[in-house]
Every structure is written in C-alpha cells, then in structure tokens.
Amino acid sequence: MNYTLNQLRIFLKIVEKQSITKASEELHLTQPAVSIQLKNFQNQFPIPLTEVVGRQLFITDFGNEIAVIAKRILKEVEGINYKLLTYQGELAGRLKVSVVSTGKYVIPYFLSGFMRENAGVDLVMDVTNKSRVVESLEENQVDFALVSVLPAHLNLNKIGLMKNILHLVGNPKYFEKVKLGKKSFAKDTPLIFREKGSATRAAMENYLTEKSIAVGKKIELTSNEAVKQAVIAGLGCSIMPLIGVNNELERGDLKIIPQKHLPITTTWNLVWLRNKKLSPVASALLDYIDAKKEEIINSNFQWIQRY
C-alpha cells in the first residue's frame, strides 16, 4: 500500500458528493485529475471501491468502509498539525459554525478579524435553513450556530450580536403602496414567503396570525436571495430582513412599504449547547466577540439606523 493523503482527501470528497464531477468542482481540480487520483487509489485494492451503473457512480460497501477509515486518518493528521501550532504558541484548531441563510450577511463580520489574528484556525461554516441549523446543534456537529429565533426545546447558552429588523418591501415600480389589513389587503398583491423551516417565514407568519391578516395570493421560494429577486421583478411583496436588502434599497430597486406594527425586530444570537465543553478555539472566539462586538457593529452596520 502506498496511497497518499491527497488520494484519501479526493476519495472522501467523491464519496461525499457521489460524483467525480461535483468532487472536482469543490476541490477546484479538473475532472481528469480527480479521475486519475481515484484510479491510482483504486489500483492499490483488489476489491472495487466504486462502481458505475448506467451513468451513475456508486460507492461499494468496501469503499464506504475505506472512507470511514480515511476520514479518521485525515482527522488524526489534522490533529498533528494543530498540535504543532499549539506547541509553537499559536491558537490552532477547527471552528465549526452553522448559520441560518440570512445570517450570511451578519456572521462574516464577527469572524473575519478573529480569523486574521489566528492563522492556525480553520473555519467550516454551513449556511442553511433553520431546521438544518437546529439539527446540527442537536447532534453536536458544530461549535456554534447563528439564529434569530431560539429553538425552545434546546438548552442553550447565547450571546446577542445585533438586532434583526424585518420590513415589508416591494419594488416601487409595481407596489408603491400596499396595505396589510383584515379587509384592505389587496388580493391581487402576492405575498412571497420563504420555505417552511425558515426563521424569516416563522416571523412573517407569526405577524400575520397575530394581526389576523388574511393572505390572498401566496408564493413560496426556497432562499432569501430568490425571494429578493422575485420582489425586484414585481412578483409580489415580502417581509424581509433589512440586513439582506441594503444595496437594493440604496439603488431604489426595493422600497420599504410602511405598515402598522412593522418592522418586526428580533435578535441575531450566537448559540451553543449549554453542556458543551468548548474547545480553546471556540472559547477564544467568544472572548474576541465580547471585546469587539460594539466596534464591529459600529464599523459595519451603522447604515441600519437610516431605516
């Protein structure tokens, strides 16, 4: 056996993506380069690691067992590298964060300075919907999660980062005035929702329910960006986080449509399991945020005050 760490990494990515093409894209390698490394790795085993049925790549049972071992090997190698940096006096390790999709406009600003100061820290950030974020917390897959609505069934610690403000927005060319009310809401004005499981959708539905607002036409889309583009195109209006539409408001592509009892205000919270033993890297991040939070907000989010 004479396989390399690079071959292990490539094989693991192929197993994860179930596709040579997708693996090559994520690894920023050409498809032929990935195929050659897979072939060289396979040549060291008398039992197939993969098989192709039709045009679909499948991982064999043996291949899946090798992938489990490969993952363990690479984790140990990573641990050696972090241990070396630690002995050299550097903060080193992996930081895993799960972020609800709109949080991608927030969390990078609270991480960038920390990452610049600590070259030995690797960041893994998963941007997804609230359901997946809560699942990653429940399964202890991450150090931290960024949410605007706390999952009530989990015992969590939290740090409030900043306000999350949601307004009704529309393209002024199509929706200069919209009235959300029990009787006066225009039935020919579609209201655009995020998918079920989204915290933005939950906040929007809670508002509509509390104010007894009946929705006429309803459109459901699966990302904040998709909702934004749909509103710009004139498909309808939506209640959206201000943090994600700043540029569009500045350009005049979108306009805040004032409504009674709006905006909705929640808080962006960095959360972690209360009984979790935080790594030195995770603890250092909390210290950094505690010291720098106000400076980060003042430097990057003062524009919110204009609205």
Side-chain angles (χ1 to χ4, degrees):
M1 294 290 178
N2 193 30
Y3 43 79
T4 66
L5 294 176
N6 188 46
Q7 288 172 348
L8 292 179
R9 291 190 185 96
I10 289 174
F11 180 63
L12 271 181
K13 187 58 67 176
I14 292 170
V15 172
E16 176 189 336
K17 297 298 179 181
Q18 299 286 303
S19 164
I20 292 175
T21 300
K22 291 179 181 178
S24 65
E25 290 172 354
E26 188 143 327
L27 292 166
H28 305 291
L29 297 171
T30 65
Q31 186 172 331
V34 171
S35 296
I36 289 170
Q37 289 300 320
L38 175 61
K39 181 180 179 182
N40 291 340
F41 188 53
Q42 173 65 81
N43 287 342
Q44 299 180 73
F45 301 96
I47 302 173
L49 300 169
T50 64
E51 58 184 358
V52 177
V53 179
R55 300 183 65 180
Q56 178 68 45
L57 178 75
F58 293 91
I59 312 301
T60 65
D61 289 343
F62 178 69
N64 281 315
E65 291 189 25
I66 294 299
V68 171
I69 298 170
K71 187 173 184 178
R72 189 162 64 241
I73 291 171
L74 291 173
K75 186 174 182 179
E76 292 296 328
V77 171
E78 184 181 76
I80 291 172
N81 295 333
Y82 292 146
K83 186 68 68 177
L84 173 61
L85 290 170
T86 300
Y87 267 82
Q88 292 174 330
E90 295 184 39
L91 183 67
R94 177 172 287 190
L95 182 67
K96 295 182 179 180
V97 184
S98 187
V99 182
V100 293
S101 56
T102 311
K104 66 178 177 287
Y105 301 110
V106 175
I107 195 63
Y109 294 96
F110 290 89
L111 296 175
S112 58
F114 178 78
M115 296 301 296
R116 286 196 299 271
E117 291 177 8
N118 299 284
V121 175
D122 293 324
L123 173 65
V124 178
M125 187 166 69
D126 181 31
V127 179
T128 182
N129 65 22
K130 183 189 174 186
S131 296
R132 175 64 191 128
V133 169
V134 172
E135 182 181 323
S136 68
L137 276 171
E138 287 176 320
E139 297 179 359
N140 196 28
Q141 297 175 348
V142 295
D143 298 298
F144 300 108
L146 183 71
V147 295
S148 59
V149 179
L150 298 175
H153 66 290
L154 293 180
N155 195 11
L156 300 171
N157 286 324
K158 67 173 183 175
I159 292 181
L161 297 186
M162 57 181 285
K163 290 181 179 179
N164 179 35
I165 302 170
L166 297 92
H167 282 277
L168 180 70
V169 296
N171 185 325
K173 291 192 297 185
Y174 307 103
F175 308 107
E176 188 67 29
K177 293 182 179 179
V178 173
K179 184 69 174 176
L180 293 180
K182 296 178 183 178
K183 297 181 180 179
S184 56
F185 177 59
K187 291 185 178 180
D188 59 347
T189 304
L191 208 54
I192 304 176
F193 290 75
R194 284 285 306 277
E195 77 284 3
K196 291 182 179 179
S198 159
T200 298
R201 178 183 178 128
M204 190 169 169
E205 289 182 330
N206 288 341
Y207 166 78
L208 296 171
T209 300
E210 288 174 5
K211 307 308 174 189
S212 301
I213 298 170
V215 178
K217 291 185 179 181
K218 181 176 179 180
I219 296 173
E220 181 177 308
L221 299 175
T222 57
S223 75
N224 193 69
E225 189 63 30
V227 171
K228 180 166 63 177
Q229 293 305 320
V231 175
I232 291 172
L235 277 176
C237 298
S238 187
I239 297 175
M240 299 191 69
L242 188 58
I243 194 73
V245 295
N246 178 36
N247 292 335
E248 290 74 20
L249 290 171
E250 289 287 330
R251 292 196 300 264
D253 295 334
L254 294 177
K255 178 182 178 180
I256 292 174
I257 305 172
Q259 299 290 314
K260 189 177 181 180
H261 305 302
L262 283 179
I264 302 166
T265 301
T266 61
T267 301
W268 287 113
N269 294 289
L270 191 69
V271 302
W272 64 100
L273 292 175
R274 184 161 292 176
N275 60 356
K276 183 177 180 64
K277 184 176 181 181
L278 294 178
S279 69
V281 169
S283 295
L285 176 64
L286 292 181
D287 292 339
Y288 173 85
I289 289 176
D290 184 59
K292 299 286 188 178
K293 181 173 73 170
E294 294 305 320
E295 179 184 329
I296 292 168
I297 293 172
N298 291 334
S299 298
N300 300 284
F301 299 105
Q302 276 296 314
W303 62 267
I304 290 176
Q305 304 303 320
R306 296 199 298 271
Y307 302 100

